Amino acid sequence: MQKIVHLKSKKHSMIIKVGRVPEILHWGANIAKIDPDLILSTERPISQARLDVDVPLSLCPELGSGHFNAPGIEGHRHGEDWAPVFEMKALTCDEQSASFTLEDTVAKLELLIEVKLDFNSDVVQKRITVKNVADKEYCLGKLSSTLSLPNHANELMTFHGRWCHEFQTQRLSFEHGGFMQENRRGRTSHENFPGLFVGSKGFSEQVGQVWGFHLGWSGNHQLRADVRSDGRRFVQAGELLLSGEVHLKEGEEYQSPWLYATYSNTGLNGISERFHEFVRANIIKFPTKKARPVHLNTWEGIYFDHKPEYIMQMATEAAEMGVERFIIDDGWFIGRDGERAALGDWYLDEKKYPNGLEPVINHVNEQGMEFGLWVEPEMVSEDSNLYRQHPDWVLSLPGYQQPSGRWQYVLDLQNPDCFSYLFDRLNDLLTRYNIGYFKWDMNRELVQPGHHGKPAVHGQTKALYRLFDELRLAHPDVEIESCSSGGGRIDFEILQRTHRFWASDCNDALERQAIQRGMSYFFPPEVMGAHIGPAECHSTNRRHAINMRGVTALSGHMGVELDPVKESAEEKQAFAHYIQLHKQYRDLLHSGRSFRIDPADQSQNIYGVENGEEMLITVCQLAMPNHALPAPLRVRCVEKEATYEVKIVEMPHTSFQLMKQRPQWLDQTLTLSGDNLEEIGVTLPILDPESALIVHLKKM
Ligand code: GLA
């Protein structure tokens, strides 16, 4: 007997037909009521010259039932039980969640498929658990979450990247075949962000139907989108397990990471709106409800050259500029004079800090700032006391010499002694010093990640989460930033335990425009670390005026990363100006609804945030404009009948090169109604390449 499960949220429905296995019939716009003929009207024909039975594209497709694309589960028992076919055993559900228990009595496996639809945000969560119910061990190769999509989802948007170039996007046709991403780097990675979008042809920021996906996992993953030869299509995501990584004894279980997904009929804006709402309500746990403090991070200012007196001078000047949290980056611990040594020796370098760290921290606190410290706990340098004492604490494979990365190795967190050492060192730092914030870095990939010779990325990732969890339990008020050579570990699961991401080591404002835009599809601005760097960017040698740098950093969780002592009075004044502007709009930026506007000219990046009362829109001219005159800025996200005060709150400070005469309104406040703003828009000045302006709208 077939049954229907109807999950409902504020705006969406997911309708699942439950026969031998559960299968999605609809996932998208709200369906008011289930028609009695729904099952009949969705019955599929059977095509000539193929299997004689209909094969459902279920929530866990099976090879053994005739699904010839990627199965949801793979594994074996010494070569047997490798093609399980499941049958529904039990179902529990309400309007927002369903749990399907399935069994295969031949292969002796049980599956628990959990699907939840968050009422407020319309975000779906799905995970699968497999249990071995035989007395013979089962070697699991794969357990992924599958969600099917309608046939008009025929265009893909995927992510790629590398160090200093995170969150880059590409479009692919999605008519035949598919897309597959395998991440084997042992961390979320710059290269393979675990997310993608599928939508109706040409979907854009503001237009089209889109389904968005993100796997919350910080280790290896596999993410794919496939179109079957019969036109049915699906997205599948799960942990990528190395050969022999997971063995289940009788009664043991493996649980997949959560797959997060949502639907929008207002383009990518509807997707990011929903992910942000979900993340704000369910993932981020700030210890207190304070405003996100403006940072100064010492890295690009002084690198490894630590002199306490000088750092205190930096702190004084930082506070004068309006900085609220001062972070000492790499270089503070014993023997850390460069990147080749000392990771693992988490004791203060008393040669650099003969009077201890306390005077610096006290000084920072006296300036009214919180103090933060950089750590990279999972790592060890070959040239370190820790490595000399415990070379066997490294994740490695006996008999092989693995390559180092940044001259360092990864510690085996599943080794209990190593785990306790790290917990004790971090706990000691947090107990001894008044530290409000850790920047937790992770600067290399996992190569030959063996624990007692066995593959261990799964175990390492779980142990890492446990290290975070135990520390946070002991120090609940401390905030943590997830950094991994910039944006190498950005995902929802690490965000359950952290409070900010270092989006990229690239502080080049032009590059940041693309990086931050890509990141903004999933993560709200308050967790996106964005810093004003020096005029000449350290990672690209490109130069930008302060307008471009200030505006770009302003819309995230803002900071500065340079040596204020060495900057001119004029630059310092400008930093203070952008910090002040950020603080003025910080509440709006960090709680409002973020959106992006489809630009008429691809040389512009236009994005904003609004809360019903106010709106802030940034127009960034990335490159030479396409036409001599820019298209008017048409603002869609407003109430049509309301009246708004519109004014420019930030413009390039240098003289304009491409514009002879500016529109008069730039120096005035306009009063415009919602429909005028949406249908006619306001003219913009001709911006020179790599400059930006900010418009503020206030409902009257
Ligand atoms: C990584 C981080 C940087 C900085 C350095 C310090 O590269 O991404 O922000 O902290 O390490 O070594």
Side-chain angles (χ1 to χ4, degrees), residues 251-264:
E252 284 185 345
E253 294 181 344
Y254 166 89
Q255 191 166 64
S256 75
W258 284 111
L259 172 63
Y260 301 88
T262 193
Y263 160 76
S264 151

Side-chain angles (χ1 to χ4, degrees), residues 400-421:
Y400 296 92
Q401 177 59 49
Q402 65 166 296
S404 59
R406 213 193 184 199
W407 295 278
Q408 64 200 49
Y409 297 105
V410 187
L411 290 167
D412 179 1
L413 302 185
Q414 290 184 93
N415 173 327
D417 295 333
C418 176
F419 186 95
S420 315
Y421 168 80

Side-chain angles (χ1 to χ4, degrees), residues 84 117 123 127 171-172 185 199 258 268 489 506 557 567 624 696:
L117 176 56
V123 168
R127 75 173 172 198
R171 294 291 183 121
L172 300 166
R185 292 176 185 263
W258 284 111
L268 290 159
R489 193 152 66 194
C506 190
H557 178 184
E567 296 289 338
M624 199 63 176
H696 182 251

